[in-house]
Amino acid sequence: MKYLLCLISLAFVLSCNSNTKDNAKQEEKSEMKVYDMYEPSEMAILMNEFYAINEKIKADILAGNTPEEFPLDFMKIHRAELSDFKKRNAKFEAFSKLYIEAEKEVFNTESSFPVEERFNNAIGVCISCHQTECTGPIPRIKKLLIK
Ligand code: HEC
């Protein structure tokens, strides 16, 4: 059922495309087209914000800085409205919580794990949730990982 929904969403909003062979190509298409075709959902806008914030955190880490202030915007994942055809289900809620916990670890200055590892772990949760919901943006999200 979920795959069906994802496919429907592919037809309507190119941003939420499913696991087809040419994900990369569709990803490009979605980036170009989504805004002039449809009003993105609150969640879609938030996700793009998350992407941008994480790009900054990554740059900060690579520059040798220690991320110190947890961006409260991340908490909006619990409230933002999804596209009409999608529902918040138990899995979504569970992954949202996991994501917030993983992101908080990035800002835990007492942690004994390297910050690169904690950051990649948080991005890993983005990817895990997308594997259950919408696989389309995964190639793009993977670019956030610190190699
Ligand atoms: C709890 C599950 C979950 C987590 C965690 C999650 N996402 Fe998403 N993401 C979604 C869903 C569901 C959508 C589709 C939203 C909609 O259409 O309303 C989405 C959409 C997106 C989109 C497409 C937005 C658009 O323009 O349509 C991008 C990019 C994205 N997410 C990136 C990320 C990044 C980066 C992270 C981690 C920082 C992340 N996501 C974490 C579930 C998640």
Side-chain angles (χ1 to χ4, degrees):
M1 191 56 189
K2 206 170 282 153
Y3 286 113
L4 183 64
L5 287 179
C6 223
L7 280 179
I8 294 169
S9 73
L10 168 62
F12 288 94
V13 188
L14 285 166
S15 67
C16 185
N17 50 15
S18 195
N19 41 348
T20 45
K21 277 171 264 149
D22 45 4
N23 255 342
K25 241 191 272 161
Q26 288 183 347
E27 171 72 11
E28 270 168 38
K29 240 200 283 174
S30 77
E31 276 177 2
M32 283 176 345
K33 278 197 180 156
V34 69
Y35 290 111
D36 53 50
M37 276 176 65
Y38 270 93
E39 189 92 6
S41 69
E42 214 185 332
M43 186 65 84
I45 292 170
L46 185 66
M47 288 284 157
N48 282 308
E49 206 182 309
F50 281 10
Y51 195 97
I53 296 173
N54 277 295
E55 260 181 336
K56 277 211 198 97
I57 298 172
K58 177 182 178 180
D60 230 26
I61 292 172
L62 291 178
N65 301 322
T66 314
E68 278 173 358
E69 215 176 314
F70 176 80
L72 287 174
D73 276 356
F74 284 150
M75 301 310 285
K76 291 184 190 160
I77 195 170
H78 294 310
R79 290 275 163 272
E81 258 176 56
L82 292 151
S83 306
D84 298 343
F85 47 84
K86 277 196 224 82
K87 294 262 175 294
R88 281 172 181 278
N89 52 26
K91 238 190 227 163
F92 186 90
E93 297 298 344
F95 274 116
S96 309
K97 284 205 193 103
L98 266 181
Y99 173 68
I100 297 298
E101 275 163 33
E103 237 1 302
K104 279 190 176 152
E105 269 313 296
V106 175
F107 296 87
N108 176 4
T109 49
E110 323 253 278
S111 173
S112 50
F113 293 102
V115 65
E116 292 84 356
E117 207 173 289
R118 285 177 276 137
F119 177 80
N120 280 350
N121 188 38
I123 302 304
V125 181
C126 306
I127 296 168
S128 302
C129 186
H130 274 261
Q131 269 156 355
T132 70
E133 297 283 339
C134 275
T135 52
I138 290 178
R140 201 175 141 213
I141 298 174
K142 280 193 173 153
K143 291 192 195 134
L144 287 173
L145 291 168
I146 296 175
K147 303 251 160 59

